[in-house]
Amino acid sequence: MHDARLDSGQGNGVTGGEAPRDTAGFLGKRSLLLLFSEPVGTSLSSEIRLQFRATGRRHLNAMVAMRDPEVWRRAAAAVHGPADLALRAAAEAHIQERQRALADLKAAGVLLVDAFPEDLAPSVVNRYLRLKAERRL
């Protein structure tokens, strides 16, 4: 497994927006690179786009995002008072920001897998199999 974390520049030679220097050499043929991350926040979405732009010349990139069931439950919960209303509003705002971030990434050409925890593994495998069937890998 290749360490392709974005960090402050310590450890793997990756600094904001750079692809790992040895990715092309490490992965000889076209590969599917999966980034497991939560896309909320414009700066993180920008970093993800930069990372994928750098590796996307040779490899196929996909971002795997896991939905937090508790956030989705709170967004759909009944409101029985001010505290419930505040929690619901925060959950709805989080979901909307997350959906905007995912839409921006998709518009930038990033393949996405977005699923609840119980559906995550089958969703990733199914995406991979579709890409193989489409001869994109």
Side-chain angles (χ1 to χ4, degrees):
M1 179 167 267
H2 185 64
D3 183 7
R5 287 174 287 149
L6 290 175
D7 63 16
S8 63
Q10 299 174 348
N12 64 357
V14 178
T15 57
E18 293 178 37
R21 284 181 278 245
D22 61 345
T23 299
F26 181 77
L27 301 171
K29 63 181 182 174
R30 184 169 171 86
S31 299
L32 176 62
L33 301 179
L34 298 174
L35 172 65
F36 288 76
S37 183
E38 179 59 25
V40 175
T42 55
S43 64
L44 181 56
S45 292
S46 296
E47 292 292 334
I48 292 168
R49 282 194 302 275
L50 288 171
Q51 176 77 12
F52 279 177
R53 188 177 309 133
T55 58
R57 292 180 205 109
R58 179 175 180 121
H59 303 291
L60 194 56
N61 297 301
M63 191 182 119
V64 181
M66 183 172 62
R67 296 177 183 179
D68 183 343
E70 181 63 18
V71 172
W72 291 77
R73 185 189 69 71
R74 291 213 183 255
V79 174
H80 300 292
D84 291 341
L85 181 60
L87 287 171
R88 184 172 177 171
E92 288 174 355
H94 175 80
I95 290 169
Q96 288 172 356
E97 181 179 354
R98 186 178 189 282
Q99 289 172 328
R100 277 193 299 277
L102 289 173
D104 289 347
L105 290 167
K106 187 174 183 178
V110 175
L111 298 174
L112 299 171
V113 175
D114 180 28
F116 288 103
E118 64 271 13
D119 300 324
L120 200 62
S123 296
V124 170
V125 171
N126 287 336
R127 173 55 67 105
Y128 171 77
L129 293 174
R130 280 195 311 271
L131 293 169
K132 288 292 278 185
E134 295 167 358
R135 298 183 184 265
R136 294 179 69 185
L137 288 174

